[in-house]
Amino acid sequence: SVHVLSPGYVNARLEKETPIFNKQRIDFAPPEKINSLVVSSNQLCMSLGKDTLLRIDLGKPDEPNQVELGRKDEARVYKMFLDHTGSHLLIAMNTSECLYLNRSVQKVRALSRWKGHLIESVGWNKFLGSETNTGPILVGTAQGQIYEAEISVSEGGLFSTNPDQYFRQVYTLEEETGPTPVCCLEIERGIEGKFFIIATTRKRLFQFVGKVPEGTEQQGFSSIFALHADHLPSFREFPASFGFSEIAFYTPKLRSNPRSFAWMMGNGVLYGTLDYSRPDSILSDERVWVYPSDIDITVNKPISIVLTQFHFLLLLPDRVKAVCTLNGQVVFQDLFLEKFGSLTRMIKDPTVQQIWIHTEKVVFRYHVQRESRDVWKMYMNMNRFDLAKEYCKDRPECLDIVLAKEAEHCFQNKRYLDSAKCYALTQNYFEEIALKFIEAKQEEALMEFLIKKLSNLKPSEKTQTTLLTTWLTELYLNWLGILEGDPSQRNLYLDTREKFRTFLSSPKYKDCLFNNRASIYELLASHGDTEHMVYFAVIMQDYERVVAHHCQHDEYDEALNVLSRHRDEKLFYKFSPVLIQHIPKKVVDAWISMGSRLDARNLIPALVNYSQSASMQQINEAIRYMEFCVYQLEETQQAIHNYLLSLYALCRPDSLLSYLEQAGTNPNRIHYDLKYALRLCAEHGHHRACVHIYKVMELYEEAVDLALQVDVDLAKSCADLPEDDEELRKKLWLKIACHVVQEEKDVKKAMACLSSCALLKIEDVLPFFPDFVTIDHFKEAICNSLEDYNKHIEELKREMEEATQSAKRIREDIQEMRNKYGSVEPQEKCAACDFPLLNRPFYLFLCGHMFHYDCLLQAVFPNLPAYKQAKLEDLQKKLAATSQPSKSHHRPKDTDTISLGKGQQSREQIKADIDDIVAAECVYCGELMIRSIDKPFIDPQKYEEEMQSWL
């Protein structure tokens, strides 16, 4: 079944919008009739009646400014001209005079040099003009002359004697009948200092082109007109005339050059674009809009024209017509009521793109709103799809229509790939488009469509993504199969293969391809494309499949390269048993390069299977890796060490003993199994290795017994090992001596054993000798033994004499201590409480400290062990229970003690026991003070209470 990708918006109904040209009547009732109105840079000026001028800043419409012209004659305002800054106002009178008013002043000034000329048009200088100076400007008269002039205002707003700096004629325009009024003037600057001056008469449009050197712009334009003194400049002429013409320009941004023009003349409207790169004429893409039948130039001829981005508007006596410059169709018509009077003039403020219309009584304003809203449709119908898409990029419903139209246009013209790209961006039904390409047998275009459609899907659309990726894989494989069999299509095959690989490796589809890799593998397998199966497996990081493929095709080096490149431990464990059978050295090199990432225990099965059927050279590879694990990686696993031992025992007995000796003799630091190693060495007859293992196991008797079968010196080294057990050592040496005497029958070597071990005596060895041995062989040993006995007896005598002298000195010290005493002065005080010492029972220590009995008890008791505290309490209770015959605190003399009864003698014993506990040492000089060095001065449990008491 085919999954439907439903469109988000098909046949979407466009929203109802406000008109492009939205008319607004200005709330203004003029006190007199409006003669003329101009507006620029949000500054509006209108002539009212005979002598009044009204100026309004549209940013502050509530603050109008009224200026009187001050004319007493019958002069009337003929035309007004306002520059691009809204600062300079020229007022042409019907009496061939011209007045000037600056925005910053209230007084109108007459321009004396201009007198005698009826002004028809002014070309403002937009490049040098400022609020106080117009720069060089051009002035056209009703007699066809073009003058160059300049008006300047001095600082502070005061005029100089002549505000008009100069006024000189530069050219005269003529038609076939002679001089004719200059209807319009426009000055534009192109590239590389080139200037274009456009001047219109009733039937002609002139262009003056010339360069003004950089830095000389202030000198004016006379040099440009001088170029055409001897011949007419280029012009366009039309036969019909209704007495005047008017040209309008559209400027997209402030302070930029106009981009298009529209010239209203007798035959219609000439309109087009402006191309400043052309050498002689900037007019380009010219077209003529002929007046329709409802416009009669003799009865209701057009009055004014303005140009917007995509329309020009014609002002007729009773209506306004808007014509689209893209297709020449009238798209808007606004009829005005008769009560407003006949329409007089229409003008556009270029800075804010507002259009103003006035009659003698009323002022209207048009706002241009979203003029480009339907431009896309016009460009689409003209098959200019790029421009159509540009103007509806923010309106997806319109963009979809344009893309669908472009796709259909490309399809009809057999541009299938371009059609596929456009269809993929539309919301048309997926199935219809796909079937369209299938029926046209355009698989390449279908693939392009699917790729583009796939790239536009959202991450959440997983089902659609799965469908498209699977279908694309099938199409690619079919296409590659067709191309591969055609040698002439080799380049196309390589290009398609690269696209397919790019598709498979795209990060955007990685998750989808991974989740459906089983289906992709089936497709690749069904087409027999093992090359791309391996490529896809690598992308999916399915290296197990890649390695297995190489192994199946005996490509062992390639398989090992994949393993080494991706360093997956599990894959090493899985494929090493196969690879080591064919390329053992390279496999071991790869293992070593992996280092500690591989667990050698998991590789032992591969090595065991391999070593059982391999040659000595191949076994050496197994030993090489095991040695790397033991000596480089410092592995401690018992299985690894045991396996290395087995290899050594099998092939390298010299390395076996070296390994055992390097492992040491401390059982806790040995990583092989001692019992396994002993059995292994015994099976292979490696006796020295067995002796070493016995020594490690501390089985010294077994070690000596086995060593005697190999080497007596080896046995001697074993016999000295039990250093702490002299009896065992003696026993071992006796074994060696017995072996030397009975087995080797070498008396000299037996005597050498006596000198090697101090524990052996001649009498220990004599029983081993046969009866026929003469005393001459060991006479020296017997003499040495007797001398040792004599020395030992002498040493014992000396020690007894030293002990007697020591006992005598001790008895003297005891007698001296019995007679030792100390004297106490009456003023002496207790070291603990600082009260007089003799008031209560006290203790005097050899260090000189003296304590009351109760003070000493109080200081010692908390620091006694619990069992001594209990014993002391018990003794105090017993002492209190005995009678006290005398209140004397002095200790009785020895003679008094003899005459006391049995009960009193018990009391003295109790007090002696208490003294032993309490007065065993000075509390300030004994161990008690040393043990209390890390004890806090304040009990931690009472710390808070103590701290609060200090605050």
Side-chain angles (χ1 to χ4, degrees), residues 372-400:
S372 62
R373 67 182 71 171
D374 294 327
V375 169
W376 65 271
K377 192 182 299 181
M378 299 173 192
Y379 278 130
M380 180 183 71
N381 294 331
M382 296 163 63
N383 291 336
R384 300 178 67 179
F385 299 109
D386 289 341
L387 288 171
K389 288 183 282 188
E390 180 68 25
Y391 285 101
C392 62
K393 59 185 177 182
D394 297 329
R395 302 168 68 185
E397 70 282 358
C398 303
L399 181 61
D400 191 67

PDB file of all heavy atoms in Angstrom, residues 372-400:
ATOM      1  N   SER A 372       2.787  44.853  -2.918  1.00  0.00           N
ATOM      2  CA  SER A 372       3.299  43.674  -3.625  1.00  0.00           C
ATOM      3  C   SER A 372       2.496  42.413  -3.350  1.00  0.00           C
ATOM      4  O   SER A 372       2.919  41.324  -3.722  1.00  0.00           O
ATOM      5  CB  SER A 372       4.758  43.442  -3.208  1.00  0.00           C
ATOM      6  OG  SER A 372       4.841  43.182  -1.814  1.00  0.00           O
ATOM      7  N   ARG A 373       1.341  42.528  -2.716  1.00  0.00           N
ATOM      8  CA  ARG A 373       0.614  41.332  -2.265  1.00  0.00           C
ATOM      9  C   ARG A 373       0.221  40.398  -3.412  1.00  0.00           C
ATOM     10  O   ARG A 373       0.216  39.186  -3.249  1.00  0.00           O
ATOM     11  CB  ARG A 373      -0.621  41.748  -1.469  1.00  0.00           C
ATOM     12  CG  ARG A 373      -1.685  42.450  -2.301  1.00  0.00           C
ATOM     13  CD  ARG A 373      -2.864  42.894  -1.464  1.00  0.00           C
ATOM     14  NE  ARG A 373      -2.489  44.012  -0.595  1.00  0.00           N
ATOM     15  CZ  ARG A 373      -3.377  44.711   0.108  1.00  0.00           C
ATOM     16  NH1 ARG A 373      -4.657  44.393   0.051  1.00  0.00           N
ATOM     17  NH2 ARG A 373      -2.996  45.717   0.850  1.00  0.00           N
ATOM     18  N   ASP A 374      -0.146  40.963  -4.573  1.00  0.00           N
ATOM     19  CA  ASP A 374      -0.583  40.114  -5.690  1.00  0.00           C
ATOM     20  C   ASP A 374       0.424  40.081  -6.820  1.00  0.00           C
ATOM     21  O   ASP A 374       0.141  39.547  -7.893  1.00  0.00           O
ATOM     22  CB  ASP A 374      -1.932  40.619  -6.228  1.00  0.00           C
ATOM     23  CG  ASP A 374      -3.044  40.450  -5.204  1.00  0.00           C
ATOM     24  OD1 ASP A 374      -2.982  39.473  -4.440  1.00  0.00           O
ATOM     25  OD2 ASP A 374      -3.953  41.289  -5.167  1.00  0.00           O
ATOM     26  N   VAL A 375       1.603  40.646  -6.571  1.00  0.00           N
ATOM     27  CA  VAL A 375       2.616  40.679  -7.628  1.00  0.00           C
ATOM     28  C   VAL A 375       3.065  39.271  -7.995  1.00  0.00           C
ATOM     29  O   VAL A 375       3.346  38.969  -9.161  1.00  0.00           O
ATOM     30  CB  VAL A 375       3.817  41.542  -7.155  1.00  0.00           C
ATOM     31  CG1 VAL A 375       4.984  41.389  -8.101  1.00  0.00           C
ATOM     32  CG2 VAL A 375       3.399  42.987  -7.062  1.00  0.00           C
ATOM     33  N   TRP A 376       3.130  38.396  -6.995  1.00  0.00           N
ATOM     34  CA  TRP A 376       3.551  37.022  -7.256  1.00  0.00           C
ATOM     35  C   TRP A 376       2.696  36.358  -8.333  1.00  0.00           C
ATOM     36  O   TRP A 376       3.185  35.601  -9.179  1.00  0.00           O
ATOM     37  CB  TRP A 376       3.501  36.204  -5.971  1.00  0.00           C
ATOM     38  CG  TRP A 376       2.113  36.028  -5.400  1.00  0.00           C
ATOM     39  CD1 TRP A 376       1.469  36.840  -4.533  1.00  0.00           C
ATOM     40  CD2 TRP A 376       1.187  34.964  -5.686  1.00  0.00           C
ATOM     41  NE1 TRP A 376       0.210  36.382  -4.247  1.00  0.00           N
ATOM     42  CE2 TRP A 376       0.014  35.219  -4.938  1.00  0.00           C
ATOM     43  CE3 TRP A 376       1.238  33.832  -6.493  1.00  0.00           C
ATOM     44  CZ2 TRP A 376      -1.097  34.381  -4.984  1.00  0.00           C
ATOM     45  CZ3 TRP A 376       0.134  32.980  -6.533  1.00  0.00           C
ATOM     46  CH2 TRP A 376      -1.022  33.259  -5.782  1.00  0.00           C
ATOM     47  N   LYS A 377       1.395  36.663  -8.286  1.00  0.00           N
ATOM     48  CA  LYS A 377       0.473  36.029  -9.234  1.00  0.00           C
ATOM     49  C   LYS A 377       0.755  36.506 -10.662  1.00  0.00           C
ATOM     50  O   LYS A 377       0.717  35.725 -11.621  1.00  0.00           O
ATOM     51  CB  LYS A 377      -0.953  36.361  -8.818  1.00  0.00           C
ATOM     52  CG  LYS A 377      -2.007  35.543  -9.532  1.00  0.00           C
ATOM     53  CD  LYS A 377      -3.397  35.959  -9.099  1.00  0.00           C
ATOM     54  CE  LYS A 377      -3.620  35.764  -7.624  1.00  0.00           C
ATOM     55  NZ  LYS A 377      -4.972  36.143  -7.196  1.00  0.00           N
ATOM     56  N   MET A 378       1.073  37.798 -10.760  1.00  0.00           N
ATOM     57  CA  MET A 378       1.351  38.346 -12.087  1.00  0.00           C
ATOM     58  C   MET A 378       2.654  37.768 -12.652  1.00  0.00           C
ATOM     59  O   MET A 378       2.729  37.386 -13.821  1.00  0.00           O
ATOM     60  CB  MET A 378       1.433  39.862 -11.997  1.00  0.00           C
ATOM     61  CG  MET A 378       0.137  40.508 -11.524  1.00  0.00           C
ATOM     62  SD  MET A 378       0.322  42.261 -11.237  1.00  0.00           S
ATOM     63  CE  MET A 378      -1.206  42.626 -10.362  1.00  0.00           C
ATOM     64  N   TYR A 379       3.682  37.735 -11.806  1.00  0.00           N
ATOM     65  CA  TYR A 379       4.937  37.142 -12.264  1.00  0.00           C
ATOM     66  C   TYR A 379       4.745  35.675 -12.610  1.00  0.00           C
ATOM     67  O   TYR A 379       5.357  35.160 -13.565  1.00  0.00           O
ATOM     68  CB  TYR A 379       6.010  37.290 -11.181  1.00  0.00           C
ATOM     69  CG  TYR A 379       6.682  38.641 -11.155  1.00  0.00           C
ATOM     70  CD1 TYR A 379       6.798  39.364  -9.981  1.00  0.00           C
ATOM     71  CD2 TYR A 379       7.216  39.195 -12.307  1.00  0.00           C
ATOM     72  CE1 TYR A 379       7.419  40.610  -9.951  1.00  0.00           C
ATOM     73  CE2 TYR A 379       7.838  40.427 -12.298  1.00  0.00           C
ATOM     74  CZ  TYR A 379       7.940  41.135 -11.112  1.00  0.00           C
ATOM     75  OH  TYR A 379       8.552  42.360 -11.103  1.00  0.00           O
ATOM     76  N   MET A 380       3.919  34.995 -11.858  1.00  0.00           N
ATOM     77  CA  MET A 380       3.669  33.582 -12.128  1.00  0.00           C
ATOM     78  C   MET A 380       3.009  33.404 -13.493  1.00  0.00           C
ATOM     79  O   MET A 380       3.402  32.523 -14.274  1.00  0.00           O
ATOM     80  CB  MET A 380       2.789  32.986 -11.020  1.00  0.00           C
ATOM     81  CG  MET A 380       2.463  31.519 -11.193  1.00  0.00           C
ATOM     82  SD  MET A 380       1.363  30.885  -9.919  1.00  0.00           S
ATOM     83  CE  MET A 380      -0.177  31.705 -10.394  1.00  0.00           C
ATOM     84  N   ASN A 381       2.035  34.242 -13.769  1.00  0.00           N
ATOM     85  CA  ASN A 381       1.351  34.138 -15.059  1.00  0.00           C
ATOM     86  C   ASN A 381       2.269  34.517 -16.217  1.00  0.00           C
ATOM     87  O   ASN A 381       2.025  34.127 -17.357  1.00  0.00           O
ATOM     88  CB  ASN A 381       0.107  35.024 -15.057  1.00  0.00           C
ATOM     89  CG  ASN A 381      -0.936  34.527 -14.068  1.00  0.00           C
ATOM     90  OD1 ASN A 381      -1.013  33.322 -13.787  1.00  0.00           O
ATOM     91  ND2 ASN A 381      -1.733  35.436 -13.511  1.00  0.00           N
ATOM     92  N   MET A 382       3.323  35.275 -15.895  1.00  0.00           N
ATOM     93  CA  MET A 382       4.317  35.637 -16.918  1.00  0.00           C
ATOM     94  C   MET A 382       5.438  34.593 -16.997  1.00  0.00           C
ATOM     95  O   MET A 382       6.415  34.796 -17.708  1.00  0.00           O
ATOM     96  CB  MET A 382       4.913  37.008 -16.576  1.00  0.00           C
ATOM     97  CG  MET A 382       3.889  38.142 -16.631  1.00  0.00           C
ATOM     98  SD  MET A 382       4.458  39.640 -15.764  1.00  0.00           S
ATOM     99  CE  MET A 382       5.889  40.072 -16.742  1.00  0.00           C
ATOM    100  N   ASN A 383       5.312  33.527 -16.196  1.00  0.00           N
ATOM    101  CA  ASN A 383       6.337  32.467 -16.110  1.00  0.00           C
ATOM    102  C   ASN A 383       7.672  32.983 -15.578  1.00  0.00           C
ATOM    103  O   ASN A 383       8.729  32.404 -15.848  1.00  0.00           O
ATOM    104  CB  ASN A 383       6.545  31.794 -17.468  1.00  0.00           C
ATOM    105  CG  ASN A 383       5.336  30.974 -17.885  1.00  0.00           C
ATOM    106  OD1 ASN A 383       4.547  30.536 -17.050  1.00  0.00           O
ATOM    107  ND2 ASN A 383       5.180  30.793 -19.187  1.00  0.00           N
ATOM    108  N   ARG A 384       7.626  34.048 -14.820  1.00  0.00           N
ATOM    109  CA  ARG A 384       8.834  34.559 -14.165  1.00  0.00           C
ATOM    110  C   ARG A 384       8.788  34.075 -12.709  1.00  0.00           C
ATOM    111  O   ARG A 384       8.489  34.814 -11.781  1.00  0.00           O
ATOM    112  CB  ARG A 384       8.894  36.079 -14.256  1.00  0.00           C
ATOM    113  CG  ARG A 384       8.921  36.569 -15.690  1.00  0.00           C
ATOM    114  CD  ARG A 384       8.942  38.076 -15.802  1.00  0.00           C
ATOM    115  NE  ARG A 384      10.183  38.645 -15.292  1.00  0.00           N
ATOM    116  CZ  ARG A 384      10.456  39.950 -15.302  1.00  0.00           C
ATOM    117  NH1 ARG A 384       9.579  40.806 -15.809  1.00  0.00           N
ATOM    118  NH2 ARG A 384      11.594  40.391 -14.817  1.00  0.00           N
ATOM    119  N   PHE A 385       9.098  32.792 -12.559  1.00  0.00           N
ATOM    120  CA  PHE A 385       8.831  32.114 -11.289  1.00  0.00           C
ATOM    121  C   PHE A 385       9.772  32.564 -10.173  1.00  0.00           C
ATOM    122  O   PHE A 385       9.371  32.595  -9.011  1.00  0.00           O
ATOM    123  CB  PHE A 385       8.918  30.596 -11.492  1.00  0.00           C
ATOM    124  CG  PHE A 385       7.927  30.073 -12.481  1.00  0.00           C
ATOM    125  CD1 PHE A 385       8.327  29.618 -13.727  1.00  0.00           C
ATOM    126  CD2 PHE A 385       6.569  30.057 -12.175  1.00  0.00           C
ATOM    127  CE1 PHE A 385       7.417  29.139 -14.636  1.00  0.00           C
ATOM    128  CE2 PHE A 385       5.646  29.573 -13.088  1.00  0.00           C
ATOM    129  CZ  PHE A 385       6.064  29.124 -14.326  1.00  0.00           C
ATOM    130  N   ASP A 386      11.004  32.907 -10.492  1.00  0.00           N
ATOM    131  CA  ASP A 386      11.933  33.351  -9.442  1.00  0.00           C
ATOM    132  C   ASP A 386      11.425  34.616  -8.766  1.00  0.00           C
ATOM    133  O   ASP A 386      11.449  34.737  -7.534  1.00  0.00           O
ATOM    134  CB  ASP A 386      13.323  33.592 -10.033  1.00  0.00           C
ATOM    135  CG  ASP A 386      14.010  32.290 -10.413  1.00  0.00           C
ATOM    136  OD1 ASP A 386      13.584  31.242  -9.889  1.00  0.00           O
ATOM    137  OD2 ASP A 386      14.939  32.329 -11.232  1.00  0.00           O
ATOM    138  N   LEU A 387      10.956  35.559  -9.592  1.00  0.00           N
ATOM    139  CA  LEU A 387      10.403  36.794  -9.016  1.00  0.00           C
ATOM    140  C   LEU A 387       9.104  36.511  -8.285  1.00  0.00           C
ATOM    141  O   LEU A 387       8.827  37.108  -7.232  1.00  0.00           O
ATOM    142  CB  LEU A 387      10.173  37.825 -10.122  1.00  0.00           C
ATOM    143  CG  LEU A 387      11.449  38.451 -10.702  1.00  0.00           C
ATOM    144  CD1 LEU A 387      11.128  39.292 -11.928  1.00  0.00           C
ATOM    145  CD2 LEU A 387      12.132  39.305  -9.644  1.00  0.00           C
ATOM    146  N   ALA A 388       8.307  35.609  -8.807  1.00  0.00           N
ATOM    147  CA  ALA A 388       7.049  35.259  -8.139  1.00  0.00           C
ATOM    148  C   ALA A 388       7.322  34.685  -6.753  1.00  0.00           C
ATOM    149  O   ALA A 388       6.653  35.042  -5.769  1.00  0.00           O
ATOM    150  CB  ALA A 388       6.270  34.258  -8.995  1.00  0.00           C
ATOM    151  N   LYS A 389       8.327  33.802  -6.658  1.00  0.00           N
ATOM    152  CA  LYS A 389       8.662  33.217  -5.352  1.00  0.00           C
ATOM    153  C   LYS A 389       9.232  34.265  -4.406  1.00  0.00           C
ATOM    154  O   LYS A 389       9.022  34.209  -3.197  1.00  0.00           O
ATOM    155  CB  LYS A 389       9.654  32.064  -5.547  1.00  0.00           C
ATOM    156  CG  LYS A 389       9.017  30.828  -6.160  1.00  0.00           C
ATOM    157  CD  LYS A 389       9.990  29.683  -6.273  1.00  0.00           C
ATOM    158  CE  LYS A 389      10.929  29.850  -7.433  1.00  0.00           C
ATOM    159  NZ  LYS A 389      11.756  28.652  -7.679  1.00  0.00           N
ATOM    160  N   GLU A 390       9.960  35.216  -4.941  1.00  0.00           N
ATOM    161  CA  GLU A 390      10.544  36.269  -4.116  1.00  0.00           C
ATOM    162  C   GLU A 390       9.458  37.077  -3.415  1.00  0.00           C
ATOM    163  O   GLU A 390       9.600  37.462  -2.256  1.00  0.00           O
ATOM    164  CB  GLU A 390      11.415  37.179  -4.987  1.00  0.00           C
ATOM    165  CG  GLU A 390      12.082  38.314  -4.248  1.00  0.00           C
ATOM    166  CD  GLU A 390      13.134  37.828  -3.275  1.00  0.00           C
ATOM    167  OE1 GLU A 390      13.693  36.732  -3.474  1.00  0.00           O
ATOM    168  OE2 GLU A 390      13.378  38.559  -2.292  1.00  0.00           O
ATOM    169  N   TYR A 391       8.335  37.301  -4.119  1.00  0.00           N
ATOM    170  CA  TYR A 391       7.282  38.158  -3.567  1.00  0.00           C
ATOM    171  C   TYR A 391       6.211  37.390  -2.797  1.00  0.00           C
ATOM    172  O   TYR A 391       5.240  37.994  -2.342  1.00  0.00           O
ATOM    173  CB  TYR A 391       6.627  38.976  -4.687  1.00  0.00           C
ATOM    174  CG  TYR A 391       7.507  40.117  -5.142  1.00  0.00           C
ATOM    175  CD1 TYR A 391       8.257  40.024  -6.303  1.00  0.00           C
ATOM    176  CD2 TYR A 391       7.606  41.269  -4.377  1.00  0.00           C
ATOM    177  CE1 TYR A 391       9.078  41.065  -6.707  1.00  0.00           C
ATOM    178  CE2 TYR A 391       8.437  42.313  -4.771  1.00  0.00           C
ATOM    179  CZ  TYR A 391       9.159  42.202  -5.938  1.00  0.00           C
ATOM    180  OH  TYR A 391       9.979  43.240  -6.320  1.00  0.00           O
ATOM    181  N   CYS A 392       6.399  36.103  -2.631  1.00  0.00           N
ATOM    182  CA  CYS A 392       5.440  35.377  -1.762  1.00  0.00           C
ATOM    183  C   CYS A 392       6.180  34.451  -0.811  1.00  0.00           C
ATOM    184  O   CYS A 392       5.620  33.452  -0.354  1.00  0.00           O
ATOM    185  CB  CYS A 392       4.421  34.605  -2.596  1.00  0.00           C
ATOM    186  SG  CYS A 392       5.137  33.336  -3.650  1.00  0.00           S
ATOM    187  N   LYS A 393       7.445  34.775  -0.500  1.00  0.00           N
ATOM    188  CA  LYS A 393       8.215  33.904   0.381  1.00  0.00           C
ATOM    189  C   LYS A 393       7.681  33.894   1.812  1.00  0.00           C
ATOM    190  O   LYS A 393       7.919  32.952   2.549  1.00  0.00           O
ATOM    191  CB  LYS A 393       9.680  34.321   0.375  1.00  0.00           C
ATOM    192  CG  LYS A 393       9.936  35.741   0.808  1.00  0.00           C
ATOM    193  CD  LYS A 393      11.410  36.094   0.651  1.00  0.00           C
ATOM    194  CE  LYS A 393      11.672  37.553   1.028  1.00  0.00           C
ATOM    195  NZ  LYS A 393      13.088  37.921   0.827  1.00  0.00           N
ATOM    196  N   ASP A 394       6.958  34.942   2.198  1.00  0.00           N
ATOM    197  CA  ASP A 394       6.366  34.978   3.541  1.00  0.00           C
ATOM    198  C   ASP A 394       4.927  34.483   3.541  1.00  0.00           C
ATOM    199  O   ASP A 394       4.246  34.558   4.568  1.00  0.00           O
ATOM    200  CB  ASP A 394       6.423  36.402   4.100  1.00  0.00           C
ATOM    201  CG  ASP A 394       7.851  36.885   4.267  1.00  0.00           C
ATOM    202  OD1 ASP A 394       8.714  36.041   4.536  1.00  0.00           O
ATOM    203  OD2 ASP A 394       8.097  38.097   4.117  1.00  0.00           O
ATOM    204  N   ARG A 395       4.449  34.017   2.395  1.00  0.00           N
ATOM    205  CA  ARG A 395       3.050  33.533   2.295  1.00  0.00           C
ATOM    206  C   ARG A 395       3.097  32.115   1.724  1.00  0.00           C
ATOM    207  O   ARG A 395       3.072  31.917   0.506  1.00  0.00           O
ATOM    208  CB  ARG A 395       2.236  34.472   1.407  1.00  0.00           C
ATOM    209  CG  ARG A 395       2.240  35.901   1.922  1.00  0.00           C
ATOM    210  CD  ARG A 395       1.702  36.875   0.905  1.00  0.00           C
ATOM    211  NE  ARG A 395       0.282  36.692   0.677  1.00  0.00           N
ATOM    212  CZ  ARG A 395      -0.410  37.357  -0.245  1.00  0.00           C
ATOM    213  NH1 ARG A 395       0.210  38.235  -1.013  1.00  0.00           N
ATOM    214  NH2 ARG A 395      -1.688  37.147  -0.401  1.00  0.00           N
ATOM    215  N   PRO A 396       3.192  31.132   2.597  1.00  0.00           N
ATOM    216  CA  PRO A 396       3.388  29.750   2.124  1.00  0.00           C
ATOM    217  C   PRO A 396       2.289  29.245   1.207  1.00  0.00           C
ATOM    218  O   PRO A 396       2.547  28.450   0.297  1.00  0.00           O
ATOM    219  CB  PRO A 396       3.457  28.935   3.423  1.00  0.00           C
ATOM    220  CG  PRO A 396       2.897  29.815   4.486  1.00  0.00           C
ATOM    221  CD  PRO A 396       3.145  31.216   4.057  1.00  0.00           C
ATOM    222  N   GLU A 397       1.045  29.699   1.409  1.00  0.00           N
ATOM    223  CA  GLU A 397      -0.033  29.205   0.552  1.00  0.00           C
ATOM    224  C   GLU A 397       0.147  29.689  -0.885  1.00  0.00           C
ATOM    225  O   GLU A 397      -0.148  28.973  -1.847  1.00  0.00           O
ATOM    226  CB  GLU A 397      -1.404  29.620   1.116  1.00  0.00           C
ATOM    227  CG  GLU A 397      -1.731  31.108   1.034  1.00  0.00           C
ATOM    228  CD  GLU A 397      -1.051  31.940   2.100  1.00  0.00           C
ATOM    229  OE1 GLU A 397      -0.339  31.365   2.941  1.00  0.00           O
ATOM    230  OE2 GLU A 397      -1.238  33.163   2.099  1.00  0.00           O
ATOM    231  N   CYS A 398       0.661  30.929  -1.043  1.00  0.00           N
ATOM    232  CA  CYS A 398       0.909  31.458  -2.386  1.00  0.00           C
ATOM    233  C   CYS A 398       2.150  30.812  -2.999  1.00  0.00           C
ATOM    234  O   CYS A 398       2.186  30.495  -4.195  1.00  0.00           O
ATOM    235  CB  CYS A 398       1.085  32.971  -2.334  1.00  0.00           C
ATOM    236  SG  CYS A 398      -0.317  33.838  -1.613  1.00  0.00           S
ATOM    237  N   LEU A 399       3.166  30.626  -2.166  1.00  0.00           N
ATOM    238  CA  LEU A 399       4.399  29.996  -2.648  1.00  0.00           C
ATOM    239  C   LEU A 399       4.120  28.597  -3.176  1.00  0.00           C
ATOM    240  O   LEU A 399       4.708  28.172  -4.184  1.00  0.00           O
ATOM    241  CB  LEU A 399       5.425  29.948  -1.513  1.00  0.00           C
ATOM    242  CG  LEU A 399       6.781  29.338  -1.843  1.00  0.00           C
ATOM    243  CD1 LEU A 399       7.476  30.131  -2.939  1.00  0.00           C
ATOM    244  CD2 LEU A 399       7.657  29.277  -0.602  1.00  0.00           C
ATOM    245  N   ASP A 400       3.200  27.902  -2.536  1.00  0.00           N
ATOM    246  CA  ASP A 400       2.867  26.548  -2.974  1.00  0.00           C
ATOM    247  C   ASP A 400       2.234  26.578  -4.364  1.00  0.00           C
ATOM    248  O   ASP A 400       2.516  25.719  -5.204  1.00  0.00           O
ATOM    249  CB  ASP A 400       1.915  25.916  -1.958  1.00  0.00           C
ATOM    250  CG  ASP A 400       1.725  24.437  -2.203  1.00  0.00           C
ATOM    251  OD1 ASP A 400       2.703  23.686  -2.035  1.00  0.00           O
ATOM    252  OD2 ASP A 400       0.607  24.044  -2.594  1.00  0.00           O
TER     253      ASP A 400
END
